[in-house]
Amino acid sequence: MEIRDHELIIVGAGPAGLCAALYAGRSEMGAVMLEAGLPGGQLLLTELVDDYPGVEEVGGQELADQMAGHAAKFGVEVERAHIEVLRRDEEGRFLAVAEGGKTYRAPAVIFTAGGTPRPLNVPGEAQFMGKGVSYCAICDGAFFRGEDIVVVGGGDAAVEEGEFLTRYGRSVTLIHRRDELRAAALLQRRFREHDKTRIVWNSVVTEITGDERGATGVVVKDVNTGDESEIAATGVFIFIGFTPNTGIIEEHVDHDGAGYLSTDRDMRTSVPGLFAAGDARSQLVRQITTAVGDATTAVFAAEKYLLNLREQKQ
Ligand code: NAP
């Protein structure tokens, strides 16, 4: 088994990972950033970003490229590696084992592997992703000002984000597969009391329709009658669950009820040497700005941790 030693491993290369890489490179920490695919994470699914301070409008892909180039400028090592397991050896060092067995070893890890929105898996979803189909109301809501919006799901996220979307949309139609919502009563009340909202019960989306400009609506099937109808909408927001990509961590790490990693204010998890930043971390909002903020803190906390470790060994 090939083992490569580093001082710090950064798992993931979304905005949090890329920002951690930038600072770790700049501090010459001997870090490696491991990324399964292209750098950018959720940015690669985002058509346009208009809420990154100082950058009025930029394509998600373009911002990802700029962040990757910026990190590279500071000389951080980047490896294309699909990590299957993150565990610790008997000396407490972390081992990130990639597909094929190649292993990266370091006394500290910043975990920025993010999370994955659960997809509906219906025709049109992938085709119109970033062109009407979205998994983030805060990120994309403002692009649908004065337009008709559909929200899919019945949990806290769907109802809360649906209510948030009323500030932009002309109408917000929530489509839920059952006849009652899973969301907390208070969130439900706020949503239902808004004059722009309505709920389509007992219905599933079977297709997202659109044209060359983007999504134009959804085909909805009544689960009781089997009847199909079309609802016009240019924004289709899907909130049917979000899974943090924490499954590769072998050991128990404290987390919240939805599986996001709990950290202290310095991004330390319950496992010494393991820091978390970005979407995988338990927090109020998941934005590019919060991801890079978390990552900045995590790098300096990791640097302190490594310094203490060295002093203890001397
Ligand atoms: P969730 O609670 O798991 O709800 C997912 C919703 O999507 C459910 O209503 C489910 O329907 C529906 N659904 C699942 N698969 C579907 C499919 N294939 N087609 C159509 N509908 C589907 O997920 P979440 O809303 O993302 O929330 C995740 C966690 O974060 C929860 O613990 C939640 O409490 C928490 N959260 C809290 C807040 C807050 O407190 N303000 C805000 C957001 C999230 P069924 O109901 O029929 O199963």
Side-chain angles (χ1 to χ4, degrees):
M1 182 173 69
E2 183 191 350
I3 296 189
R4 302 261 309 268
D5 276 300
H6 296 272
E7 280 300 291
L8 175 69
I9 295 170
I10 299 163
V11 181
L18 291 167
C19 180
L22 181 156
Y23 276 108
R26 197 163 170 259
S27 299
E28 299 181 358
M29 284 173 71
V32 62
M33 179 173 68
L34 307 176
E35 168 60 21
L38 289 172
Q42 298 281 315
L43 279 179
L44 301 179
L45 305 178
T46 309
E47 180 83 347
L48 206 63
V49 176
D50 73 346
D51 58 355
Y52 196 71
V55 184
E56 279 184 25
E57 240 178 41
V58 62
Q61 168 92 58
E62 191 187 345
L63 185 57
D65 290 347
Q66 285 174 3
M67 284 187 176
H70 199 170
K73 186 184 147 200
F74 288 112
V76 73
E77 200 178 319
V78 180
E79 287 264 325
R80 181 72 67 88
H82 181 81
I83 302 303
E84 290 186 324
V85 181
L86 181 67
R87 60 184 170 85
R88 283 197 291 172
D89 65 14
E90 50 296 332
E91 288 172 52
R93 293 172 303 187
F94 292 91
L95 300 172
V97 185
E99 207 173 42
K102 191 169 176 184
T103 300
Y104 303 83
R105 182 167 58 194
V109 167
I110 300 179
F111 189 82
T112 71
T116 313
R118 189 181 297 159
L120 271 176
N121 288 323
V122 296
E125 183 178 21
Q127 187 184 347
F128 299 114
M129 195 183 292
K131 295 187 174 70
V133 173
S134 170
Y135 304 86
C136 178
I138 298 178
C139 318
D140 298 328
F143 300 126
F144 302 96
R145 220 175 274 276
E147 299 179 24
D148 294 313
I149 294 173
V150 151
V151 170
V152 187
D156 286 340
V159 173
E160 190 172 48
E161 307 284 321
E163 202 248 338
F164 174 82
L165 288 165
T166 57
R167 68 182 68 181
Y168 303 114
R170 180 170 61 178
S171 70
V172 177
T173 303
L174 185 120
I175 300 167
H176 183 42
R177 63 183 178 183
R178 290 190 294 134
D179 61 358
E180 62 177 334
L181 298 169
R182 180 183 292 275
L186 175 72
L187 300 178
Q188 288 194 36
R189 201 176 68 234
R190 279 198 205 133
F191 182 84
R192 285 169 183 242
E193 283 175 357
H194 203 286
D195 56 9
K196 287 185 183 174
T197 63
R198 74 176 178 121
I199 302 178
V200 176
W201 300 103
N202 299 310
S203 297
V204 290
V205 170
T206 56
E207 186 183 347
I208 296 166
T209 54
D211 57 25
E212 62 292 340
R213 282 172 300 156
T216 54
V218 292
V219 177
V220 168
K221 185 168 101 178
D222 184 308
V223 293
N224 294 325
T225 63
D227 290 347
E228 285 199 334
S229 56
E230 188 160 353
I231 298 174
T234 45
V236 180
F237 287 79
I238 298 164
F239 300 109
I240 60 167
F242 190 88
T243 316
N245 298 327
T246 51
I248 60 167
I249 308 175
E250 203 174 73
E251 156 175 17
H252 172 82
V253 187
D254 286 354
H255 55 79
D256 66 15
Y260 296 99
L261 301 179
S262 305
T263 68
D264 66 8
R265 62 174 199 175
D266 292 338
M267 308 302 143
R268 284 186 286 236
T269 69
S270 59
V271 174
L274 180 63
F275 301 80
D279 284 5
R281 187 173 89 80
S282 178
Q283 57 188 307
L284 183 63
V285 283
R286 296 191 166 78
Q287 292 295 288
I288 306 168
T289 46
T290 52
V292 299
D294 288 358
T296 309
T297 303
V299 170
F300 288 96
E303 196 171 19
K304 258 191 182 168
Y305 174 82
L306 290 168
L307 204 64
N308 284 342
L309 213 59
R310 262 179 246 127
E311 280 172 3
Q312 278 167 21
K313 283 188 181 156
Q314 278 166 9

